[in-house]
């Protein structure tokens, strides 16, 4: 790990200072932290996506191949199980499997224990691709965290675990408030009294 310290104000400090001047009534303690976290997600995400692209994959396709690979031989799961562990819809999983099957990286077959069910598995080409990709992915992730000392990296991981556990518990607790509805103009809602359109994510 690389030793590094820099107290120079960054983009988040500047934004928070501006808001503190304009809206001194607001509690802005979280704004800078979460702005940096959002930027880290964007910058780190681009670096990760570049590695996958070098192997002809997007992030979703890599996730499917990696989900099969890390379960161990024979590298097979049901599509519904894959969707559950990757936290995506069944329809979204079907689209990813279709793309990978067309490229010869996965196969579908009827499950021997239940002919109504399917199993998705890695082909030899799929196994080779995901092994090469995950090798570069792990190396890249290590490089991204090399700006932190070992102690800083461990502390960062501990803090992220605590924050995520708390947010997950808050989201699933009885009586938790639902997320606010997005603001739309009447024309987008189709007129007064119409329910907002449903949204989904593949």
């Amino acid at each position: 790990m690389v030793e590094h310290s820099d107290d120079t104000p960054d983009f988040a400090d500047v934004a928070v200072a501006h808001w503190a001047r304009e809206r001194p009534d607001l509690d802005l303690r979280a704004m800078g932290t979460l702005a940096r976290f959002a930027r880290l997600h964007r910058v780190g995400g681009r670096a990760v996506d570049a590695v996958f692209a070098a192997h002809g994959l997007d992030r979703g396709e890599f996730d499917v191949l990696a989900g099969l690979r890390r379960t161990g031989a024979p590298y097979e799961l049901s599509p519904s199980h894959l969707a559950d562990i990757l936290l995506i819809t069944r329809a979204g999983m079907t689209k990813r499997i279709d793309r990978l099957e067309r490229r010869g990286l996965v196969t579908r077959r009827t499950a021997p224990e239940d002919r109504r069910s399917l199993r998705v598995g890695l082909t030899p080409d799929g196994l080779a691709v995901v092994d090469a990709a995950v090798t570069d992915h792990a190396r890249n992730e290590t490089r991204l965290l090399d700006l932190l000392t070992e102690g800083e990296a461990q502390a960062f991981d501990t803090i992220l675990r605590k924050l995520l556990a708390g947010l997950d518990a808050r989201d699933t607790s009885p009586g938790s408030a639902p997320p606010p509805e997005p603001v739309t103009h009447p024309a987008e809602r189709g007129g007064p009294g119409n329910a907002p359109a449903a949204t989904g994510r593949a």
Side-chain angles (χ1 to χ4, degrees):
M1 297 291 180
V2 176
E3 293 283 357
H4 179 74
S5 177
D6 188 354
D7 296 327
T8 303
D10 64 2
F11 75 100
D13 293 320
V14 172
V16 171
H18 288 170
W19 279 117
R21 181 193 65 215
E22 298 297 320
R23 291 294 306 274
D25 57 304
L26 296 179
D27 181 355
L28 303 173
R29 289 174 295 177
M31 181 180 285
T33 300
L34 293 182
R36 294 182 187 96
F37 191 81
R39 186 160 181 174
L40 174 64
H41 175 71
R42 291 195 298 271
V43 173
R46 287 196 296 266
V48 168
D49 288 341
V51 169
F52 298 152
H55 293 274
L57 302 170
D58 63 28
R59 189 183 299 235
E61 293 165 344
F62 172 83
D63 284 346
V64 172
L65 297 179
L68 293 169
R69 177 63 175 92
R70 62 188 172 87
T71 61
Y75 315 119
E76 286 187 341
L77 290 172
S78 69
S80 60
H81 190 181
L82 262 175
D84 288 343
I85 64 176
L86 297 182
L87 304 178
I88 66 170
T89 65
R90 303 294 196 271
M93 177 55 63
T94 298
K95 292 177 182 177
R96 295 184 188 184
I97 292 171
D98 286 345
R99 294 198 304 268
L100 293 168
E101 187 176 34
R102 286 195 295 269
R103 296 172 56 191
L105 301 180
V106 302
T107 59
R108 287 184 178 99
R109 70 180 182 90
T110 303
E113 67 277 9
D114 183 356
R115 296 189 63 82
R116 297 169 300 178
S117 301
L118 291 175
R119 306 284 286 181
V120 178
L122 291 176
T123 65
D125 284 347
L127 179 61
V129 167
V130 71
D131 272 350
V134 77
T135 297
D136 290 344
H137 178 47
R139 185 182 299 118
N140 185 49
E141 288 187 316
T142 298
R143 180 186 64 82
L144 291 173
L145 285 186
D146 267 346
L147 291 172
L148 303 179
T149 67
E150 184 173 353
E152 287 170 340
Q154 291 174 350
F156 185 48
D157 184 68
T158 298
I159 291 167
L160 287 177
R161 285 173 182 269
K162 180 178 180 178
L163 181 60
L164 287 171
L167 291 174
D168 286 342
R170 181 183 296 174
D171 285 345
T172 58
S173 62
S176 60
E181 290 288 342
V183 177
T184 57
H185 296 290
E188 294 172 336
R189 295 194 298 266
N194 286 1
T199 60
R201 179 175 65 85

